[in-house]
Structure formats: structure tokens, C-alpha cells
Amino acid sequence: MYLKKILPFQPSKTEFKLFIFYTLFIIYGSLYPFKFHFQDFPIETRSIINFIFCNFSFQTSLGDVLTNFLLFIPFGFLGVRSMRSPFNPPYYTLVITLLCIPIAHSLQLLQFFVKGRVPSLMDTFFNVLGCFLAGGFGAVSRFRFIGGKRGQELWKSKPFVLFICWIAYNTIPFVPTLDFGEIKNSLKPLLLHPQLNIVTTLKYTIGWLLFYYMYKEHTDKRLDIKLFGLIITFTLLSKIFIETRVLGLPQVIGSAFALFLTKYAYKKTYNPKFLFISLILYLTISGLWPFKFSTTPIHHFHFLPFYGFLEGQLYVTAYTAVKKMFFYGSLIWTMEQSKIKWARATFICVSWATTLEIAQIWFYDHTPEITDPLIMFLMALWVKKSRPTPKMNMEIIYKGPERRKNILKQPESNNLNGLQKIKDSLINKVSKP
């Protein structure tokens, strides 16, 4: 009980649970695959001090800078949002930053003993910088549901977070380039070697349809068709000026088809049932494509979470993770929008994802693992936890950092008034002949 009084965190908050989960995710990703070798660990005190503070590389790259900066932004933001109220912005920003420093530096130290890792003091610096800025923003900003139809905080809006995931998927690794060779290479798949791919075409068609639907649900109004076309055009052209990204014919055709459906088949297209059925179709095809089947098992099922994610390059891992978050979160959410109960939708989706992963044991060009069902379940939990609170409690929960002192007594009276109204209406109905 005494610890609960002196610690700044409030364990009952959803934000605190997300903060703990994200911290464990950072530790897991930083130390994977957990193959440590401690043969060269220093024994003398002077050597240990030198090892802790001086034995670091200061070399880095723009991609590493952005990755390490962005990695700790959720850490800092969720950290301050999970603290007790009323908020004291400078104090809580300082607390989360001081907590970040030993965590970030300890992970860099441990990476000395993980094969394939290259620890750098610059990584720690940009981790802490990202945490500090995100913590300050999360503490002082009300971060409202800007332009939205609900009284909910912006970062808790499911449609807003999902369509930001789609934009992030199309722009990762966020490293711009003006090198003529890079620009030419990014246009080759479109101009020199145009090939139609069903999976990519479906992905961009459904992705942009979901983007439009999320915007409509966020703002309670349609996005102007011309503006929608400009957003699609700008996003596709931006790939030309981002390192490692390419622009292909399937992306153009899929995006154009989404624009066509929006303009000429709006009512049939923007139905949550149509969207979630389309999502299941796309995810099933992409999960088994190119349908090269073997009569004997050709893969082992990996029970270590994120096995396939952490084996590849970091930017590939990032946009694959964001893509899965977008499509899996959209699937659960559109099923809920179609009046399917959360528990049933979660069971169907997780079972379906598990079945697909097991089937991949007999299909070439796939890595069957537990990761996809796990992401599906986590996105389902997020959808459930980020549901809007009833209006009578909204003002208390979303009032902002400096909230609660004079409002805490209101819910009880509001509840009593609401119950009294219900009672009176029932009495009137019964008394009528």
C-alpha cells in the first residue's frame, strides 16, 4: 500500500498496462535471439567502469537515428499517461526520462554479449531524446479527438490510429532521398518491369478503402473525393523519394480501383460487412500465396514470438509489423461494427489466423509461427480497451492532465438522476391503459 502511494504510476489505468507491455516488447526486441556470451566480461572494478561508460561506438546512420528516436516515443508517451492525476507536467516528464536512461543504457550494455548486435552510445542518446519529447507532449497536451465526432482523446481513437498505421506502412523507413540513382531504381518496377500481382493489388485496394472508412468514422463526414485522390497520389509518389521503397504497377492499379469504388459504388463498398469479408479474403490469399503446395511438411512451426520479424532488416520488420497491426485491427473493428460480439470476433479471427499459420507448414515461401495469432489477439484487446466511455463519465476521464479535483462527485448524482428518469418512464408506461 505504501508503494502505491509514493509511486507515480496508477496500475489500474489501461495506459499503464500498455506501458508495461511496450517496455517488455522493447527488451524482447533489443536482446533477441537471447544468445549471450559472457566470456569477455571484465572482472576488475576499473575495467567494469570503463566497460559501462567508455566502451561504446559513436557511429550511427540516419536510419538508426530515426529508428532509435521513434522506438522510445510510445514509451515516453504511455509512461506519462499512466501516471496519477492531477498531472504535474515537468515532474512526470522528468520521472519518465530518468526511468528511460538506465533502461536504454542497460539494453545497449547487454547487446555487447548478444551475437550480431552493435551497441552505440548514440542509440541511447536518441532513445532518451525520443522519450523526453514524447513524455513532455503527453503530459502537457490534452491531445483531443481533433475534428472527431466523439469526446475521446485522439490517441485512443481506433479509426485515427488505424489510418495512421496505413500511412506509416507506406512511408517507412521515413528516410528521404534525392539521389538520382535511388529515384530511378524506385521507378523501375513501374516503368521498365511492370508486373501485375493480385495480392498487392488487393492489398492497396482494401487498404485505401479502409483508410477512407476510418476517416469517415473519425470525423463523421465523408472525405472529399478530390482530396482523397490527392492523398493517394501524394502517398504513392512519396515512395519514389524514400530510401528502399519502390512504386509498382499493382500499387497504382489497386489505389485507382479503390478511388473508383469510392466514387461509383459508395453504398455497397463502405459497409462494414463487405469490408471485413474483403479483409478475410485478402488475408487468406496473402497468407498462402503463391499457393506452392507440398505433400510433405517443409517448415517447422516456430513458437518463439516474432521469430520471422526479428531475423530480417529493421525497416522491413517495422513496416511488416505496422501492416499487420493495420489489417488485423481493422478486421476486429469492422466485425464489431457489423454487430458481431467482441468475444466471438476475437475467437474467429485468432482461430482463423492460427489455422493459416499451421497450413503454411505445407506451403513454400512462408514462415509458420505463433506471431500472427498473437498480434491478432493483442489488436483485439486494444480494440476492446479503447472503446469510448459513456457520456456521463467522459468529462471525468478525458478532462485533461489537470482534471478531477472538482468533478469527482458528479457521476453519482448523474447516475441517480438517470436512474430516476428511467424509473419515471417505466411507471408512466405501466400506468397507461
Short mmCIF file of all heavy atoms in Angstrom, two decimals, residues 142 144 391-400 402-414:
data_model
loop_
_atom_site.label_atom_id
_atom_site.label_comp_id
_atom_site.label_asym_id
_atom_site.label_seq_id
_atom_site.Cartn_x
_atom_site.Cartn_y
_atom_site.Cartn_z
N ARG A 142 -3.67 18.07 -24.03
CA ARG A 142 -4.93 17.37 -23.84
C ARG A 142 -5.11 16.32 -24.92
O ARG A 142 -5.82 15.35 -24.74
CB ARG A 142 -6.11 18.36 -23.90
CG ARG A 142 -6.14 19.31 -22.73
CD ARG A 142 -7.27 20.31 -22.93
NE ARG A 142 -7.31 21.29 -21.87
CZ ARG A 142 -7.98 21.16 -20.75
NH1 ARG A 142 -8.67 20.06 -20.55
NH2 ARG A 142 -7.98 22.08 -19.84
N ARG A 144 -6.72 16.06 -27.84
CA ARG A 144 -8.13 15.78 -28.06
C ARG A 144 -8.39 15.04 -29.37
O ARG A 144 -7.52 14.94 -30.23
CB ARG A 144 -8.91 17.09 -28.06
CG ARG A 144 -8.98 17.74 -26.69
CD ARG A 144 -9.70 16.85 -25.72
NE ARG A 144 -9.88 17.50 -24.44
CZ ARG A 144 -10.50 16.95 -23.44
NH1 ARG A 144 -10.98 15.75 -23.54
NH2 ARG A 144 -10.63 17.59 -22.30
N LYS A 391 -21.10 8.77 -21.88
CA LYS A 391 -21.00 10.23 -21.83
C LYS A 391 -20.93 10.77 -20.41
O LYS A 391 -20.24 11.73 -20.14
CB LYS A 391 -22.20 10.85 -22.54
CG LYS A 391 -22.03 10.88 -24.04
CD LYS A 391 -23.13 11.71 -24.67
CE LYS A 391 -22.88 11.84 -26.17
NZ LYS A 391 -23.93 12.65 -26.82
N MET A 392 -21.62 10.16 -19.47
CA MET A 392 -21.65 10.72 -18.13
C MET A 392 -20.28 10.61 -17.46
O MET A 392 -19.98 11.37 -16.56
CB MET A 392 -22.71 10.02 -17.28
CG MET A 392 -22.41 8.61 -16.91
SD MET A 392 -23.61 8.02 -15.74
CE MET A 392 -24.23 6.59 -16.53
N ASN A 393 -19.42 9.70 -17.92
CA ASN A 393 -18.10 9.58 -17.34
C ASN A 393 -17.02 10.22 -18.21
O ASN A 393 -15.88 10.30 -17.80
CB ASN A 393 -17.73 8.10 -17.15
CG ASN A 393 -18.62 7.44 -16.14
OD1 ASN A 393 -19.05 8.07 -15.19
ND2 ASN A 393 -18.93 6.17 -16.36
N MET A 394 -17.39 10.66 -19.43
CA MET A 394 -16.41 11.15 -20.37
C MET A 394 -15.67 12.36 -19.85
O MET A 394 -14.48 12.51 -20.01
CB MET A 394 -17.11 11.50 -21.69
CG MET A 394 -16.16 11.71 -22.86
SD MET A 394 -15.49 10.15 -23.40
CE MET A 394 -16.94 9.41 -24.13
N GLU A 395 -16.40 13.26 -19.19
CA GLU A 395 -15.79 14.50 -18.77
C GLU A 395 -14.74 14.24 -17.70
O GLU A 395 -13.72 14.91 -17.63
CB GLU A 395 -16.86 15.45 -18.23
CG GLU A 395 -16.34 16.86 -18.10
CD GLU A 395 -17.45 17.82 -17.74
OE1 GLU A 395 -18.61 17.38 -17.65
OE2 GLU A 395 -17.13 19.00 -17.56
N ILE A 396 -14.96 13.25 -16.86
CA ILE A 396 -14.00 12.95 -15.80
C ILE A 396 -12.74 12.32 -16.38
O ILE A 396 -11.63 12.71 -16.06
CB ILE A 396 -14.63 11.98 -14.79
CG1 ILE A 396 -15.76 12.67 -14.08
CG2 ILE A 396 -13.60 11.52 -13.79
CD1 ILE A 396 -16.52 11.78 -13.18
N ILE A 397 -12.92 11.36 -17.30
CA ILE A 397 -11.78 10.61 -17.78
C ILE A 397 -10.95 11.41 -18.78
O ILE A 397 -9.75 11.35 -18.79
CB ILE A 397 -12.25 9.29 -18.41
CG1 ILE A 397 -12.86 8.43 -17.32
CG2 ILE A 397 -11.11 8.55 -19.08
CD1 ILE A 397 -13.42 7.14 -17.80
N TYR A 398 -11.62 12.23 -19.62
CA TYR A 398 -10.91 12.91 -20.70
C TYR A 398 -10.79 14.41 -20.48
O TYR A 398 -10.66 15.18 -21.42
CB TYR A 398 -11.61 12.62 -22.03
CG TYR A 398 -11.64 11.17 -22.34
CD1 TYR A 398 -12.84 10.49 -22.52
CD2 TYR A 398 -10.46 10.45 -22.42
CE1 TYR A 398 -12.86 9.15 -22.79
CE2 TYR A 398 -10.47 9.10 -22.67
CZ TYR A 398 -11.67 8.46 -22.87
OH TYR A 398 -11.69 7.12 -23.13
N LYS A 399 -10.87 14.85 -19.25
CA LYS A 399 -10.83 16.28 -18.97
C LYS A 399 -9.47 16.89 -19.28
O LYS A 399 -9.35 18.06 -19.58
CB LYS A 399 -11.19 16.52 -17.51
CG LYS A 399 -11.44 17.98 -17.17
CD LYS A 399 -12.73 18.45 -17.80
CE LYS A 399 -13.04 19.90 -17.44
NZ LYS A 399 -14.21 20.40 -18.15
N GLY A 400 -8.42 16.08 -19.21
CA GLY A 400 -7.08 16.60 -19.47
C GLY A 400 -6.19 16.36 -18.28
O GLY A 400 -6.61 15.88 -17.23
N GLU A 402 -4.97 18.23 -15.99
CA GLU A 402 -5.21 18.93 -14.73
C GLU A 402 -6.63 18.69 -14.23
O GLU A 402 -7.28 19.58 -13.72
CB GLU A 402 -4.97 20.43 -14.92
CG GLU A 402 -5.84 21.10 -15.99
CD GLU A 402 -5.46 20.70 -17.40
OE1 GLU A 402 -4.29 20.41 -17.65
OE2 GLU A 402 -6.36 20.67 -18.24
N ARG A 403 -7.13 17.46 -14.37
CA ARG A 403 -8.54 17.18 -14.15
C ARG A 403 -8.85 16.66 -12.74
O ARG A 403 -7.97 16.50 -11.93
CB ARG A 403 -8.99 16.11 -15.15
CG ARG A 403 -8.30 14.78 -14.98
CD ARG A 403 -8.58 13.92 -16.20
NE ARG A 403 -8.14 12.55 -16.04
CZ ARG A 403 -6.97 12.10 -16.44
NH1 ARG A 403 -6.10 12.90 -16.98
NH2 ARG A 403 -6.65 10.83 -16.29
N ARG A 404 -10.14 16.43 -12.51
CA ARG A 404 -10.67 15.58 -11.46
C ARG A 404 -10.97 16.22 -10.11
O ARG A 404 -11.79 15.70 -9.39
CB ARG A 404 -9.76 14.37 -11.20
CG ARG A 404 -9.62 13.52 -12.44
CD ARG A 404 -9.25 12.13 -12.06
NE ARG A 404 -9.16 11.33 -13.26
CZ ARG A 404 -8.96 10.06 -13.30
NH1 ARG A 404 -8.85 9.40 -12.21
NH2 ARG A 404 -8.89 9.41 -14.44
N LYS A 405 -10.32 17.28 -9.72
CA LYS A 405 -10.49 17.73 -8.34
C LYS A 405 -11.94 18.09 -8.02
O LYS A 405 -12.47 17.70 -6.99
CB LYS A 405 -9.59 18.94 -8.09
CG LYS A 405 -8.16 18.55 -7.77
CD LYS A 405 -7.37 19.74 -7.29
CE LYS A 405 -5.97 19.33 -6.85
NZ LYS A 405 -5.17 20.47 -6.38
N ASN A 406 -12.55 18.87 -8.91
CA ASN A 406 -13.90 19.37 -8.63
C ASN A 406 -15.00 18.58 -9.32
O ASN A 406 -16.16 18.97 -9.29
CB ASN A 406 -13.99 20.84 -9.06
CG ASN A 406 -12.98 21.70 -8.34
OD1 ASN A 406 -12.77 21.51 -7.15
ND2 ASN A 406 -12.36 22.64 -9.06
N ILE A 407 -14.63 17.46 -9.98
CA ILE A 407 -15.63 16.76 -10.78
C ILE A 407 -15.96 15.39 -10.22
O ILE A 407 -16.92 14.76 -10.63
CB ILE A 407 -15.11 16.59 -12.23
CG1 ILE A 407 -14.49 17.88 -12.70
CG2 ILE A 407 -16.21 16.19 -13.17
CD1 ILE A 407 -13.83 17.75 -14.05
N LEU A 408 -15.18 14.91 -9.27
CA LEU A 408 -15.31 13.51 -8.85
C LEU A 408 -16.67 13.20 -8.23
O LEU A 408 -17.08 12.05 -8.22
CB LEU A 408 -14.20 13.17 -7.86
CG LEU A 408 -12.81 12.99 -8.49
CD1 LEU A 408 -11.78 12.75 -7.41
CD2 LEU A 408 -12.81 11.83 -9.47
N LYS A 409 -17.36 14.19 -7.71
CA LYS A 409 -18.64 13.93 -7.05
C LYS A 409 -19.81 13.93 -8.02
O LYS A 409 -20.92 13.60 -7.64
CB LYS A 409 -18.87 14.97 -5.96
CG LYS A 409 -17.85 14.88 -4.84
CD LYS A 409 -18.15 15.92 -3.76
CE LYS A 409 -17.12 15.84 -2.64
NZ LYS A 409 -17.37 16.84 -1.60
N GLN A 410 -19.56 14.31 -9.29
CA GLN A 410 -20.66 14.43 -10.23
C GLN A 410 -21.26 13.10 -10.70
O GLN A 410 -22.46 13.01 -10.85
CB GLN A 410 -20.22 15.23 -11.46
CG GLN A 410 -19.99 16.69 -11.14
CD GLN A 410 -19.61 17.46 -12.39
OE1 GLN A 410 -19.66 16.92 -13.49
NE2 GLN A 410 -19.25 18.71 -12.21
N PRO A 411 -20.46 12.05 -10.94
CA PRO A 411 -21.04 10.84 -11.52
C PRO A 411 -22.16 10.23 -10.69
O PRO A 411 -23.13 9.74 -11.24
CB PRO A 411 -19.87 9.86 -11.60
CG PRO A 411 -18.66 10.72 -11.54
CD PRO A 411 -19.05 11.94 -10.76
N GLU A 412 -22.00 10.28 -9.35
CA GLU A 412 -23.02 9.64 -8.50
C GLU A 412 -24.37 10.32 -8.69
O GLU A 412 -25.39 9.66 -8.88
CB GLU A 412 -22.57 9.71 -7.04
CG GLU A 412 -23.50 8.94 -6.12
CD GLU A 412 -22.99 8.93 -4.69
OE1 GLU A 412 -21.88 9.45 -4.48
OE2 GLU A 412 -23.69 8.42 -3.82
N SER A 413 -24.38 11.65 -8.66
CA SER A 413 -25.64 12.36 -8.83
C SER A 413 -26.19 12.17 -10.23
O SER A 413 -27.39 12.04 -10.43
CB SER A 413 -25.44 13.85 -8.56
OG SER A 413 -24.47 14.38 -9.45
N ASN A 414 -25.27 12.15 -11.24
CA ASN A 414 -25.71 11.93 -12.61
C ASN A 414 -26.35 10.56 -12.76
O ASN A 414 -27.36 10.39 -13.44
CB ASN A 414 -24.54 12.06 -13.58
CG ASN A 414 -24.09 13.51 -13.74
OD1 ASN A 414 -24.84 14.42 -13.42
ND2 ASN A 414 -22.88 13.71 -14.22
#
